[in-house]
Amino acid sequence: MAQGSAAVPSTELLEWPKKDNRRLLHAVYRVGDLDRTIKFYTECFGMKLLRKRDIPEEKYSNAFLGFGPEESHFVMELTYNYGVTSYDIGTGFGHFAIATADVYKMVEDIRAKGGNITREPGPVKGGSTVIAFVKDPDGYVFELIQRDSILDPLCQVMLRVGDLDRAVKFYEKALGMKLVKKVDRPEYKYSIAMMGYAEEHETTVLELTYNYGVTEYTKGNAYAQVAISTDDVYKSGEVVEHVIQELGGQVTRKPGPIPGLNTKITSFLDPDGWKTVLVDNEDFLKELGN
């Protein structure tokens, strides 16, 4: 194929991510003791253990936790690699967020169970929303956000980026996300962009944070990726390749089935090096036994 023809995709293809059936499915990250994290998340956060699997031939185990079924809720996919008890979270990963009706009460419950409160409950700087911060046993930070109405308590994944406009464009074009909120706080020298598939209070969002003058962060080896559903990984993969040519990034797995599992996926890094996996909707539901 001539290079020129590959460089000019059809308008229909570029519009595909906005028409596709997409949802943030789960965040994947590594922990040093699976049972310890399950106990903390269920007892302190009120999550449910949805499923667990052990893959001894590959020397790892997974646990899936959340506030509702995986078919309709964003969940945490924890990975335990045999014999690895700690990881480097790096400077780029920010936090996960949980929405709750009463932050003060949740913090007291977590404190009573020995949890590490890193910011006491109170209004956010320059605003009225009540928040608090808690660290889990592996050092992952969770922001607790007080909200009156909650559809899915697991409401945010915060990642730091080196160029906010570039990151917003990437997630709009490559993943069909909407910019649901943008806030610039020059007095604190940062800007944020909330990216998602519905309004901030209706869905889980990616919170992209730009700290003035900071263009690079360390990724560590703890946080892995988010997974997003799609009706066609091949078409979605084509769009991603085109957007990467324009804005940067890297395809890490071409579209196709995972050996042994047969779930079709494609994966890639955004211009800041954050990984996303696109998962075929029907295959994902089959994996859940539907």
Side-chain angles (χ1 to χ4, degrees), residues 119-131:
R119 182 208 190 268
E120 292 295 332
V124 69
K125 279 180 189 172
S128 58
T129 304
V130 174
I131 64 164

Side-chain angles (χ1 to χ4, degrees), residues 92-231:
F93 174 79
H95 60 254
F96 301 113
I98 296 173
T100 180
D102 189 341
V103 166
Y104 294 95
K105 183 179 184 309
M106 192 172 187
V107 164
E108 285 317 305
D109 290 347
I110 293 168
R111 201 193 310 276
K113 293 179 174 84
N116 179 7
I117 315 300
T118 57
R119 182 208 190 268
E120 292 295 332
V124 69
K125 279 180 189 172
S128 58
T129 304
V130 174
I131 64 164
F133 283 95
V134 175
K135 261 191 189 171
D136 81 357
D138 288 277
Y140 291 101
V141 174
F142 281 77
E143 181 181 10
L144 311 179
I145 304 172
Q146 193 153 300
R147 284 186 184 169
D148 294 331
S149 84
I150 301 160
L151 290 174
D152 186 349
L154 272 174
C155 59
Q156 286 175 9
V157 179
M158 193 276 255
L159 304 171
R160 298 181 179 98
V161 299
D163 181 330
L164 194 59
D165 290 339
R166 178 185 66 185
V168 167
K169 269 186 206 157
F170 186 88
Y171 284 94
E172 284 176 336
K173 291 184 169 187
L175 286 161
M177 287 187 179
K178 291 190 288 195
L179 173 61
V180 297
K181 185 165 94 177
K182 195 172 181 187
V183 179
D184 188 29
R185 300 302 294 270
E187 67 275 31
Y188 302 118
K189 297 188 175 166
Y190 75 87
S191 303
I192 61 167
M194 302 285 194
M195 308 296 298
Y197 293 108
E199 292 309 308
E200 189 189 351
H201 285 63
E202 298 169 5
T203 187
T204 306
V205 298
L206 286 183
E207 178 183 346
L208 306 176
T209 298
Y210 169 68
N211 291 304
Y212 290 11
V214 185
T215 56
E216 282 186 25
Y217 294 93
T218 61
K219 296 292 177 297
N221 60 0
Y223 171 82
Q225 68 226 21
V226 290
I228 293 172
S229 60
T230 175
D231 281 341

